Amino acid sequence: MHLIDFKILNTAIERLLNKELSEFGITYTQATVIGYLKRNINQEICQKDIEYNLGLTTPTVSSILSRMEEKKMIFTQPSKSDRRYKSISLTPKAIEIAEDISIKIERITKMLFRGISAQEQEATGATIKKIIENIE
């Protein structure tokens, strides 16, 4: 396996997910932010949390959040714990579609792993985790 294979796979998956999620007016990366915020809905989340937990850079997250705010998917307010930061929350619009997004991603995931045994999936996941650890 070559590194280019990872890039080709990533591009193909992202293209598919972006196409499938376009009905919601969002990209896959925006969907991951919605999912993260939904899973942590009872916690105060700031941009740094999203950067760290999704492995994205500051400029990338800034751009994503700006576009999501324009689309009325998130809103920000001063952090209750540290006024230097903004707390990021989902709008009712985003909460309403979050479950539909999860269902669509689950369906796509099942399609992508069709014909691949649970053991093969676990081994692939373990390998990818080790590669990520090696990078860090």
Side-chain angles (χ1 to χ4, degrees):
M1 176 171 253
H2 300 280
L3 287 179
I4 191 71
D5 296 326
F6 286 102
K7 176 63 178 160
I8 291 168
L9 175 62
N10 179 66
T11 300
I13 291 171
E14 197 158 352
R15 188 179 302 125
L16 171 65
L17 288 164
N18 284 335
K19 179 182 173 192
E20 291 291 321
L21 294 170
S22 67
E23 74 178 84
F24 302 112
I26 61 169
T27 65
Y28 175 59
T29 305
Q30 292 168 350
T32 62
V33 172
I34 290 171
Y36 175 72
L37 291 170
K38 180 86 164 80
R39 285 188 305 278
N40 295 283
I41 202 154
N42 295 321
Q43 296 178 22
E44 185 174 71
I45 302 295
C46 67
Q47 181 171 330
K48 286 185 348 180
D49 299 317
I50 294 170
E51 292 167 11
Y52 177 78
N53 288 286
L54 299 182
L56 301 170
T57 64
T58 299
T60 299
V61 175
S62 292
S63 177
I64 290 165
L65 294 177
S66 291
R67 287 192 305 276
M68 290 179 73
E69 203 161 20
E70 287 171 13
K71 294 176 183 183
K72 309 277 191 253
M73 294 288 179
I74 61 162
F75 66 93
T76 60
Q77 58 191 24
S79 169
K80 294 173 186 159
S81 60
D82 189 334
R83 295 283 183 198
R84 293 174 296 172
Y85 299 109
K86 290 182 181 178
S87 175
I88 302 161
S89 301
L90 293 174
T91 63
K93 176 182 177 180
I95 292 170
E96 187 177 303
I97 66 169
E99 184 62 27
D100 293 335
I101 291 167
S102 293
I103 290 168
K104 187 171 281 277
I105 290 173
E106 179 69 25
R107 183 182 56 76
I108 292 167
T109 301
K110 285 180 182 176
M111 184 269 297
L112 291 174
F113 285 98
R114 186 174 49 232
I116 301 171
S117 72
Q119 183 179 2
E120 290 171 313
Q121 290 179 43
E122 286 180 32
T124 301
T127 300
I128 290 170
K129 285 177 185 170
K130 284 181 187 176
I131 292 169
I132 291 168
E133 287 172 9
N134 290 341
I135 291 170
E136 293 172 347

